[in-house]
Amino acid sequence: HECAPDYDVYLMIRRAFRGGNTHANRCYTGIIMENVSSYDRASSYPDVLVNYPYPVKPFIKQDITEVNDIKYGFPYLLELEFTDLKQRDPFNGCPYLAVHKCYNDTELRPLLGAINDNGRVLEKDGTLVTFCTDIDWGIIKEQYTWSKARVVKAYRSEYGMLPKAVIDTTMEYYRKKTELKGVDGQEIYYNKSKALLNSIYG
């Protein structure tokens, strides 16, 4: 109850929400690549639930306007305004900012005039407004340059581990899933345990 967001924080959370980062690399689109490798990080969601910190305190509005005042090591919800944003590396095949998560101004008018790669921002003359978290902010700083940036709105929380009950339940479902994997006749119970485990993340 203590951490339940009020309406303004809820809107910031919704606007900052981002799904998985999948994108075709425009430098290689349409080209058949040889000797490509990949890997799967097994049980990634349970791992981060058990081993990584999350915001565990209410998000409190911050009175800051400079991006340099965003403190490292704290969870943030941010509304940021950039002027003359541009990708640092023109050959980076996975630009981070999504056009549909950016706006022309603080009136939240849809973004116009941006040079984009299949919905990802490469460059935008003039202003661009976006909503993000502290994690996104770290990636934006690595990927883009700008002539000016300011914090329109900021909320800050504190990082900590999730409640013990959540961690214990995650570990219990993980144990059940792992014990049932590959056991003949247990496929339905394995799939149910896996579904329960993955549903905790949502």
Side-chain angles (χ1 to χ4, degrees):
H1 291 292
E2 180 191 352
C3 288
D6 63 21
Y7 181 71
D8 290 335
V9 172
Y10 176 75
L11 282 182
M12 291 285 286
I13 290 169
R14 288 299 304 263
R15 288 170 175 160
F17 176 80
R18 182 186 174 87
N21 193 27
T22 58
H23 190 72
N25 186 328
R26 68 188 179 283
C27 302
Y28 299 101
T29 301
I31 300 172
I32 296 174
M33 306 295 293
E34 303 290 342
N35 300 316
V36 174
S37 64
S38 64
Y39 68 92
D40 176 36
R41 183 178 171 192
S43 300
S44 181
Y45 286 163
D47 169 41
V48 296
L49 286 171
V50 169
N51 296 307
Y52 287 76
Y54 286 83
V56 293
K57 298 285 185 184
F59 278 94
I60 306 298
K61 193 166 188 180
Q62 304 296 297
D63 186 23
I64 59 172
T65 57
E66 302 293 326
V67 292
N68 290 335
D69 291 333
I70 300 170
K71 295 183 178 178
Y72 178 77
F74 289 90
Y76 277 90
L77 296 168
L78 300 162
E79 180 180 354
L80 303 175
E81 181 185 78
F82 298 98
T83 304
D84 303 328
L85 184 92
K86 187 174 184 179
Q87 197 178 25
R88 288 182 188 275
D89 177 5
F91 298 106
N92 182 328
C94 193
Y96 194 69
L97 287 172
V99 169
H100 82 280
K101 303 292 281 186
C102 297
Y103 305 88
N104 265 7
D105 48 41
T106 55
E107 299 299 314
L108 306 189
R109 288 184 278 230
L111 188 66
L112 298 172
I115 299 171
N116 78 88
D117 167 32
N118 196 23
R120 298 294 183 87
V121 178
L122 299 174
E123 189 174 330
K124 170 67 170 76
D125 289 338
T127 59
L128 174 150
V129 172
T130 192
F131 294 84
C132 65
T133 68
D134 52 297
I135 295 168
D136 302 316
W137 169 233
I139 297 169
I140 292 167
K141 284 192 295 186
E142 287 179 6
Q143 283 206 4
Y144 295 92
T145 63
W146 47 81
S147 63
K148 190 165 64 172
R150 75 179 180 99
V151 177
V152 179
K153 198 181 295 182
Y155 290 86
R156 191 178 83 190
S157 176
E158 291 180 26
Y159 275 120
M161 301 309 289
L162 290 174
K164 185 176 185 301
V166 174
I167 292 173
D168 289 348
T169 302
T170 302
M171 292 299 292
E172 178 65 11
Y173 286 155
Y174 179 75
R175 182 185 61 75
K176 287 179 179 175
K177 183 201 82 156
T178 305
E179 288 174 352
L180 295 170
K181 188 172 185 177
V183 178
D184 287 340
Q186 297 297 311
E187 292 82 7
I188 192 165
Y189 297 107
Y190 166 76
N191 286 327
K192 283 186 174 185
S193 292
K194 185 175 181 179
L196 286 168
L197 177 64
N198 289 339
S199 72
I200 294 172
Y201 180 79

